[in-house]
Amino acid sequence: MSSSKLNLLYAGLLIATAATFGSLYFSEILNFAPCLLCWYQRLMMYPLVVIFAIGIILKEKKLHYYALPFSILGILIATYHNLIYYKVLPEEASACNLQIPCGTVQLQLFGFITIPLLSLISFTAITALMVIFRRIK
């Protein structure tokens, strides 16, 4: 495997690990209760850490086949979550309950960076890395 492909895997591992530890920091240290859509996004992100780590160790040339389904589903869930969060879709359109609504503002960095937006950025970056990984010979 070329060094450029391996670097893409390391970048994917870094993003997935940062997103995983970030979500755990928000819930376990800052005590932000994750909504149902947050849990679904975690379900798509956490396995990516293991997938990338094993892919790096084994120098897996077809890792994109394993990572892309998780990252693309993560993009879809995160997009839906952002649409609810930014009130493009009504809160009633979500599967979240009243105790932990999906539109609750728990964090805003620089006035616009939210937890759902961080998730969407992470999944999009991983998907872009895997598309590039797939195209490099």
Side-chain angles (χ1 to χ4, degrees):
M1 176 181 302
S2 70
S3 64
S4 58
K5 283 187 112 172
L6 200 54
N7 287 339
L8 292 171
L9 296 185
Y10 279 116
L13 177 63
L14 179 67
I15 293 167
T17 302
T20 297
F21 283 118
S23 73
L24 291 171
Y25 176 77
F26 290 142
S27 64
E28 301 304 317
I29 306 298
L30 297 181
N31 294 316
F32 294 161
C35 69
L36 185 63
L37 291 176
C38 292
W39 279 111
Y40 291 152
Q41 289 166 78
R42 287 176 173 201
L43 186 64
M44 295 299 116
M45 184 62 72
Y46 290 6
L48 286 170
V49 175
V50 177
I51 290 170
F52 281 115
I54 292 172
I56 289 167
I57 292 167
L58 299 178
K59 293 183 172 49
E60 176 60 52
K61 294 178 182 169
K62 296 190 180 205
L63 185 112
H64 58 281
Y65 287 120
Y66 313 117
L68 276 172
F70 286 98
S71 65
I72 291 170
L73 282 171
I75 285 175
L76 294 174
I77 297 166
T79 299
Y80 179 62
H81 193 182
N82 276 281
L83 290 173
I84 291 168
Y85 192 88
Y86 291 109
K87 312 276 188 255
V88 175
L89 293 176
E91 184 87 31
E92 297 79 34
S94 74
C96 290
N97 59 36
L98 295 176
Q99 287 99 3
I100 308 170
C102 292
T104 301
V105 177
Q106 295 178 325
L107 175 77
Q108 279 195 332
L109 301 170
F110 308 113
F112 72 97
I113 299 174
T114 62
I115 295 171
L117 184 59
L118 288 170
S119 175
L120 181 60
I121 291 167
S122 297
F123 282 119
T124 303
I126 290 171
T127 300
L129 289 171
M130 289 298 93
V131 168
I132 295 166
F133 179 88
R134 181 176 175 259
R135 292 180 184 215
I136 293 175
K137 298 291 177 191

